Amino acid sequence: MAKFDETPIIKDPARDGIVTAPELREHATAGVHCWPGKEKDFTAIGLPPERVANWQEKAIEKFGELLEKNKALRVYMDICVRCGACTDKCQFFLGTGDPQNFPVARAELMRKVYRRYFTPGGRAFPQLNDAADFDEEMLQKWYTYFYQCSECRRCSVFCPYGIDTAEITMAAREIMSSIGVATKYVTEVVAKVYETGNNLGIPSAAWKDNCEFLEEDVQEETGLPIRFPVDDEGADILLVPPSADNFANVDTMIAYGKLFHFLGIRWTTSTYCNEGGNFGLFLNYKNLKQVNKRIVDAARMLGVKTIIWGECGHAWRAAVLPPTLHGPMDMFDPPYPYHISQFVVDMMKKGAFEGKIDKSANDDLIVTYHDPCNTARAGQLLEEPREIIRAACNHFVEMPADTIREKTFCCGGGGGLLTDEIMPIRMAGGKPRAMAVKHVKANYLATICAICKAQLPEVMGYWDVPVQVGGVLQLLTNALKM
Ligand code: SF4
Ligand code: SF4
């Protein structure tokens, strides 16, 4: 990391001032917490409405259940040799300087409890075996630090044993949720999906209205009858965007419409499931599965041939999980998750854009690409976004090699951390990405994730990196001769 600006000064927007790294460290350890969830949301998503009375016993029982079901978790508990190769690989450590954010230190919070209850040595001689009770103090540490991990998996790339701390974080959150301990942000979002079909809680009528407004606006701008269809039974394609594309990242939504119009394809969104994002991933497997299933159910209801996932990182990570976590897709073409970037590259290979791209339309942009953790490390979408950018832009620069592709840094807001009460952690976690963007002096930071698109403008502003953040597809449609 020596090549980057490592100034220890951290501005804290919550305090409208400047604090130093040691002070921020104190912040992190002294309790910058996500707010706890509300009873109504816990009930709506099948969690105990409050912390259960015998929580320690129940948590250990759940821990044992996970160790039985998930053999990798047991291996991760046993094989760490504390070599330290992962220590400086987590953006939350690099940003905060808090050693408890070393991936190995985070995982040790769980390993101490594992040794205490699941190993003979830890049961008999806890102090000699670095084992610890799962008491109130430990639970508080779990709640703080397993919600200062964005489940990004960067550390696992550097671990010689392939230990995946994201899996450890996911198990810890699963255990906590089983006893009625989870954050407001994550539980509220999952509850909104069951109520409205999307993470933002947008009612169906508002979704439809917005699509109509978009049609009017785009017609006015382009003179073209570009449609944003909703619940169109028998359409060829169901697009599952992150719902933020319809309200916040409107340029991305417009790009979907322009693309399908250009290709002459009948497509639709669904009001039953107008969300690709899946916050179940940040909570527990039961909700992960239920939220994923909605996508396949919506596609069956509308009778589409193909499901295409939009520009969303964790939607894609949830999509590429084993089919048992979203249901068989044999009736679709292709019969496996298909990303908008893959679709565009396939169309490019078929010559659909031959002679129809004017790259000079993007000539005022120096574009760099931020690999979202979930598309790069968890979803293997490394080349497709780059192919699209190269096809649409004359000026594309890559950030340093140790900050891109599978070594990409998290934006600092993934994994259920995109919530304002932990703004100092988010800004600190986003620092390594900001420094890498600064290094290449790009003026357009392209990415294919709605969370990154929400987090990165704040991070770039915070670290004084003047850059516009936007999608990849819109670069292509901006250059398309429609
Ligand atoms: S790199 Fe792997 S083995 Fe080494 S301390 Fe980190 S988790 Fe443990
Ligand atoms: S998974 Fe990502 S956020 Fe979590 S400890 Fe590893 S590097 Fe840090």
Side-chain angles (χ1 to χ4, degrees), residues 76 79-87 89 102-105 107-108 111 155-156 158-165 168:
Y76 297 157
I79 64 168
C80 173
V81 294
R82 303 191 202 187
C83 68
C86 62
T87 51
K89 304 302 184 294
F102 290 160
V104 59
E108 273 299 303
R111 289 197 187 100
C155 49
S156 71
F158 298 89
C159 173
Y161 299 94
I163 294 173
D164 187 349
T165 306
I168 294 172

Side-chain angles (χ1 to χ4, degrees), residues 89-92 103 106 149-155 165-166:
K89 304 302 184 294
C90 174
Q91 53 280 325
F92 294 100
R106 195 186 313 286
C149 166
S150 60
E151 302 180 357
C152 79
R153 307 176 85 185
R154 187 169 197 269
C155 49
T165 306

Side-chain angles (χ1 to χ4, degrees), residues 354-367:
E354 205 64 54
K356 295 287 188 181
I357 298 174
D358 173 13
K359 289 164 88 164
S360 70
N362 289 318
D363 267 358
D364 53 343
L365 303 179
I366 301 167
V367 180

